[in-house]
Amino acid sequence: RMGILYLEALRAEEPDAQVLLVDIEPACEAVARHFGAAFLNGDIRWDPTRLELSLPKARGVVVMTKDDLLNLGIATNILDEAPNLTGKIMVHVGDLSLTRTLRNGLPAGDSKSIVTVIGHDHLFNSHQVAAQHLVEHKLRAHFARTEATDVVVLGGFGRFNQTILEVLRSEAAGEFHRVVIVDTQAKLQARSFAEQVGFGDYQIEIVEGDMNDPHIWEQVHKATSGVASPAYLLGTDSDSANLQVALGLGRRYPAARIFVRCF
C-alpha cells in the first residue's frame, strides 16, 4: 500500500520520470503498468537481481518492504555495490522504537554503523511523515484560530498518535495546554511514551477504555470542559472505527475540530 502511495505522489510531481519497480510478487506488474513504470520480478535480496538494476546509473532508490531490518540490510548492500548512491537512498523503518534507537541511540563517531552508512536523514517512517504534515498544515492553523488554552484529544495511543504527540511537543510547544489520551491500554502506552520520548510542559489526562464506548466520551467531555473547540485526533489502526467515532463526535460536539486517520 505504501508503495502505491509513493508512486501516486511521484507521478504527481514528476509524471515523466523513469521508474523501475522491483518485487518478488508477479502481481505487482499490474501496479507498475498502471503508473507507467518498468517492472522486474525478482528478490532484491539476491545478488543476481541487484546486478540487473544498473544501480550506478540510478538517480535514487527507495526501499520499503514490510520488514524493517530487511530494508536496512538491502540498503547497505546497495550502497556497497553503488557507493555513488550515498545520499540518494531512502529507507522505510516502520517500527517507531527502532527508528528512535537508530537515530538517537548510537555512539557518537560510530562510522561503521548501518545508520551512519545510510544517513540519518534518509531513514523515514510513514507515521512521522503524516504527523509532520498534519501538525504543520492543520493543527497549528487550528491553534492559531482558537484561544490559547487548546486541548488535544488522542483517540487511540498507538504508533500514529504517539508520533503526533511527539511532533506537537517539538513543533507546537506552548500552543496547547492539555492532552487527553483515550486507549484500552492508555496507562501502559503513556508509561512507554514517557520512557522513550517524554511528555512536555502540558497536562496529561488518561482515559482508559474502548473509544467505541459512548460513556468514554462523557469522561473526555469533562476533561475538555471550558474549551470551545478541542481538537480530536482519531488514529487507531481501524479506519472504520476512526470514522464511526468521528461521526458520533461530530453530532454530539459540532464545534469540535475532528481529524480522522485512514490509510
Side-chain angles (χ1 to χ4, degrees):
R1 296 185 301 175
M2 195 187 323
I4 290 174
L5 290 176
Y6 178 85
L7 285 170
E8 286 177 349
L10 178 62
R11 281 298 180 231
E13 292 291 326
E14 298 193 34
D16 299 322
Q18 289 184 302
V19 180
L20 173 62
L21 173 60
V22 184
D23 201 284
I24 198 169
E25 293 293 339
C28 289
E29 185 173 6
V31 176
R33 192 182 310 116
H34 176 77
F35 289 101
F39 178 68
L40 175 62
N41 181 207
D43 190 333
I44 193 68
R45 295 171 294 182
W46 294 354
D47 295 344
T49 300
R50 292 195 303 277
L51 286 172
E52 290 189 56
L53 301 182
S54 299
L55 284 168
K57 298 180 181 178
R59 191 172 141 200
V61 177
V62 183
V63 185
M64 46 181 155
T65 76
K66 297 177 182 179
D67 187 323
D68 293 343
L69 296 180
L70 177 60
N71 292 342
L72 293 166
I74 290 169
T76 303
N77 289 337
I78 287 173
L79 289 177
D80 284 343
E81 296 160 10
N84 64 301
L85 287 173
T86 300
K88 300 176 183 178
I89 189 166
M90 296 297 296
V91 184
H92 183 256
V93 181
D95 187 302
L96 282 174
S97 297
L98 179 59
T99 303
R100 293 176 187 131
T101 300
L102 290 172
R103 285 180 170 160
N104 306 319
L106 296 169
D110 184 1
S111 61
K112 295 182 180 179
S113 74
I114 192 169
V115 180
T116 304
V117 172
I118 296 169
H120 287 71
D121 295 338
H122 294 271
L123 300 177
F124 76 98
N125 177 281
S126 55
H127 296 296
Q128 290 181 325
V129 173
Q132 195 78 34
H133 182 86
L134 180 62
V135 170
E136 289 180 2
H137 297 280
K138 300 291 183 181
L139 283 175
R140 297 198 69 183
H142 169 72
F143 295 155
R145 288 193 299 267
T146 56
E147 59 190 33
T149 55
D150 277 291
V151 173
V152 176
V153 180
L154 301 176
F157 200 50
R159 294 184 300 172
F160 183 66
N161 271 347
Q162 286 188 30
T163 311
I164 289 285
L165 187 54
E166 189 174 355
V167 175
L168 279 171
R169 192 191 70 163
S170 61
E171 303 292 334
E175 297 179 34
F176 61 99
H177 85 289
R178 184 183 304 164
V179 172
V180 182
I181 296 172
V182 183
D183 196 283
T184 54
Q185 301 185 61
K187 295 177 182 177
L188 175 63
Q189 298 282 46
R191 285 198 298 271
S192 176
F193 184 86
E195 181 180 337
Q196 292 186 19
V197 181
F199 291 106
D201 188 19
Y202 46 82
Q203 301 172 22
I204 293 292
E205 298 275 353
I206 302 292
V207 178
E208 188 152 284
D210 190 338
M211 74 172 193
N212 291 294
D213 181 356
H215 295 295
I216 288 294
W217 296 105
E218 294 176 7
Q219 298 179 50
V220 174
H221 183 61
K222 293 178 182 178
T224 61
S225 60
V227 179
S229 182
Y232 291 83
L233 282 79
L234 306 176
T236 72
D237 289 335
S238 172
D239 293 357
S240 59
N242 295 336
L243 184 57
Q244 186 174 359
V245 171
L247 292 172
L249 290 173
R251 288 192 294 268
R252 294 176 70 176
Y253 312 115
R257 186 79 162 130
I258 303 172
F259 299 90
V260 180
R261 176 205 173 189
C262 49
F263 204 100

